[in-house]
């Protein structure tokens, strides 16, 4: 597609529920990144995919967080047993890795855990 | 430990009043410094990449500069549509999109 697409744009859930956030990167972009933006904080790296593999998962805050990517395209970030501190905007970005090395971000998924 | 610090946190300017935003960084082996603009409810939008001290880049009313310890984003004669949060980020390792972001400067330009 023309840009990075994320869904849902907004998600309100109850503490303890599981949520799935989806990212559809720009066609042809081989690398995909998940970042989290909490209120008053800078963007925080979570995980990165090269193709369907995740060489760097070092930013995932706990084992409640997981992500996968299929077909070298769509990625899903799953948060199990959500906690209030998980409330944030989850941003996905993709990059071509040839030519200009510029991350292109989606609009984000705003997660609110009640 | 913060690797990227932006100042000020917020800045209010009158239309036409030029100013500068600061981004200081402490990473070693800088691979690139990035400036992004973020509007409310949207993802960051790329502005500039700088790679080495002394480098400068310009786009419309914006000019970014880089030294060995900090970067400046100069805004000349700003307009209300320049109001946004400006984010600075650095790449310290070999992974292209693995960036360390500052908390941003929220710029408001009033007519």
């Amino acid at each position: 597609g023309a840009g990075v697409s994320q869904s849902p744009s907004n998600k309100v859930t109850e503490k303890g529920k599981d949520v799935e956030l989806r990212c559809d990167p720009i066609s042809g972009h081989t690398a995909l990144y998940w970042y989290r933006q909490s209120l008053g904080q800078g963007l925080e790296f979570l995980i990165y995919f090269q193709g369907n593999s995740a060489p760097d998962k070092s930013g995932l805050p706990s084992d409640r967080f997981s992500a996968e990517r299929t077909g070298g395209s769509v990625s899903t970030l799953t948060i199990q047993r959500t906690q209030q501190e998980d409330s944030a905007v989850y941003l996905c970005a993709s990059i071509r890795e040839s030519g200009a090395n510029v991350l292109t971000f989606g609009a984000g998924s705003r997660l609110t855990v009640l | 430990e913060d690797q990227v610090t932006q100042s000020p946190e917020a800045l209010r300017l009158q239309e036409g009043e030029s100013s500068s935003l600061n981004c200081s960084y402490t990473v070693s082996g800088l691979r690139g410094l990035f400036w992004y603009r973020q509007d409310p409810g949207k993802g960051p939008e790329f502005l500039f990449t700088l790679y080495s001290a002394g480098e400068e880049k310009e786009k419309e009313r914006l000019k970014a500069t880089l030294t060995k310890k900090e970067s400046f984003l100069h805004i000349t004669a700003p307009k209300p549509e320049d109001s946004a949060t400006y984010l600075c980020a650095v790449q310290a390792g070999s992974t292209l999109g693995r960036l360390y972001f500052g908390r941003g400067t929220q710029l408001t330009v009033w007519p």
Side-chain angles (χ1 to χ4, degrees):
Chain A
V4 177
S5 178
Q6 292 189 245
S7 63
S9 55
N10 278 287
K11 176 73 175 179
V12 179
T13 190
E14 293 179 349
K15 178 181 172 181
K17 301 285 189 182
D18 297 351
V19 297
E20 286 190 349
L21 308 176
R22 175 190 167 107
C23 173
D24 199 343
I26 293 173
S27 178
H29 280 197
T30 54
L32 184 150
Y33 294 76
W34 285 97
Y35 281 83
R36 179 167 73 173
Q37 189 171 34
S38 304
L39 193 63
Q41 301 295 318
L43 271 75
E44 171 190 18
F45 168 80
L46 297 178
I47 185 171
Y48 130 74
F49 287 91
Q50 178 62 47
N52 293 334
S53 300
D56 188 353
K57 307 178 182 179
S58 62
L60 295 178
S62 76
D63 58 7
R64 296 186 295 104
F65 288 72
S66 63
E68 65 174 11
R69 188 180 185 194
T70 56
S73 181
V74 173
S75 177
T76 302
L77 177 68
T78 301
I79 309 172
Q80 295 178 311
R81 305 180 303 281
T82 52
Q83 303 294 312
Q84 288 185 333
E85 60 263 29
D86 299 334
S87 296
V89 176
Y90 289 83
L91 291 159
C92 176
S94 65
I95 191 169
R96 183 182 295 278
E97 292 196 324
S98 62
N101 59 328
V102 172
L103 278 176
T104 301
F105 284 88
S109 293
R110 179 176 295 278
L111 174 66
T112 302
V113 182
L114 301 178
Chain B
E1 179 184 354
D2 286 340
Q3 300 193 35
V4 181
T5 304
Q6 292 189 245
S7 61
E9 291 184 7
L11 181 63
R12 287 178 54 86
L13 299 173
Q14 188 170 16
E15 184 171 4
E17 179 186 3
S18 301
S19 188
S20 296
L21 312 182
N22 177 263
C23 171
S24 63
Y25 59 93
T26 57
V27 296
S28 59
L30 181 74
R31 299 289 190 101
L33 185 140
F34 300 80
W35 282 98
Y36 282 84
R37 168 191 171 129
Q38 186 173 26
D39 293 295
K42 297 187 177 181
E45 175 187 348
F46 171 75
L47 293 173
F48 304 108
T49 310
L50 302 167
Y51 293 102
S52 56
E55 189 174 359
E56 298 182 351
K57 289 194 176 172
E58 287 188 65
K59 179 181 179 180
E60 297 180 354
R61 295 177 293 281
L62 300 177
K63 178 179 171 181
T65 61
L66 181 65
T67 72
K68 289 187 177 180
K69 293 185 177 180
E70 58 190 349
S71 176
F72 292 93
L73 184 65
H74 307 278
I75 303 176
T76 301
K79 298 182 178 181
E81 53 261 42
D82 294 324
S83 297
T85 296
Y86 290 85
L87 303 174
C88 173
V90 299
Q91 178 192 344
S94 60
T95 304
L96 291 178
R98 175 64 167 96
L99 304 181
Y100 296 86
F101 281 84
R103 297 184 180 189
T105 294
Q106 185 175 4
L107 174 67
T108 304
V109 182
W110 49 284

